[in-house]
Amino acid sequence: MSGRVITGGDPKATAVRGARVQFQQLPFEAVSLKEGRFEEPNLLEGSSVILRASRPAHWGSMMFAAAGSETKVPLFSDKMMTAFTALAGPRMKASAEGESVVWGRVVSGGGPVAGAQVELMTTTEAIRPVYFNAMMIPDPTLTATSGNGLYAFYPVAPGAHAVQAILGERTSEPVLFPADARTVSNVEIEVTSFQRASVR
């Protein structure tokens, strides 16, 4: 598995050097080097793992990744998360220490999707998503994704969760992901016009 650790929420996506990259429930870990690159050669191609990246003065980051493809792992600085909190509203401040943030994109064919509504399916009380405007700034007045496809949920309790996106009459498959305290879970949701499956 190889990839890059980059700054989350930054359109320029600059490299983050010196981040610790762990492979959950596996005895492997790596450190991001020049250009934020990391590598772990001891995984079979196609293996799916949960990556956890960490670095001082940053929130942790978690995401699913597959060995054999280049993975971009966004890492959000404390400063970035403070700005996110201030712009998105006051709801996160009271419980940020023990809760997580879900941050992702709705995509189709690899490109961002506008006009999608995202639902967090695994909480006892409804959590309204925050969407990002054309300048990639969280805008609580938006009711669907803008042209960048970005969305976020907060605060989300640690544990296993699922999200799905609705675009017109199309609904994505639910995407399962883990969440942990003071961690950003990076979740990309693919919306396609049809699904094909082989059943035996």
Side-chain angles (χ1 to χ4, degrees):
M1 173 161 304
S2 63
R4 292 182 66 215
V5 181
I6 57 174
T7 52
D10 180 0
K12 297 178 182 176
T14 55
V16 177
R17 188 173 182 173
R20 182 184 182 194
V21 181
Q22 297 172 287
F23 303 85
Q24 294 292 95
Q25 299 181 341
L26 293 172
F28 309 131
E29 67 176 61
V31 175
S32 62
L33 303 173
K34 188 177 180 182
E35 297 178 357
R37 297 203 172 275
F38 67 90
E39 187 174 293
E40 175 49 63
N42 295 311
L43 295 171
L44 292 174
E45 186 171 350
S47 298
S48 292
V49 297
I50 299 173
L51 292 184
R52 178 190 284 268
S54 59
R55 190 173 187 269
H58 289 72
W59 278 47
S61 184
M62 294 179 74
M63 65 183 298
F64 279 106
S69 60
E70 180 85 1
T71 302
K72 290 182 180 177
V73 184
L75 197 58
F76 297 82
S77 69
D78 289 346
K79 184 178 179 181
M80 173 69 189
M81 295 310 293
T82 299
F84 169 74
T85 302
L87 290 169
R91 291 175 292 171
M92 185 178 174
K93 294 180 182 177
S95 54
E97 290 302 316
E99 305 290 344
S100 67
V101 173
V102 179
W103 189 308
R105 279 195 322 160
V106 181
V107 298
S108 181
V113 171
Q117 296 178 313
V118 184
E119 295 179 345
L120 183 60
M121 307 165 65
T122 46
T123 55
T124 53
E125 56 185 69
I127 300 177
R128 184 177 176 272
V130 174
Y131 301 106
F132 293 71
N133 63 27
M135 298 182 69
M136 297 182 69
I137 296 173
D139 185 345
T141 66
L142 293 176
T143 59
T145 55
S146 65
N148 54 41
L150 292 171
Y151 71 91
F153 287 96
Y154 65 90
V156 178
H161 293 282
V163 289
Q164 68 177 10
I166 300 168
L167 182 63
E169 296 182 358
R170 293 184 285 169
T171 301
S172 73
E173 291 291 322
V175 180
L176 302 173
F177 64 93
D180 205 355
R182 206 171 183 275
T183 298
V184 179
S185 295
N186 298 280
V187 186
E188 195 165 272
I189 306 172
E190 178 77 29
V191 178
T192 55
S193 56
F194 65 90
Q195 296 282 345
R196 178 175 295 166
S198 298
V199 180
R200 182 169 62 188

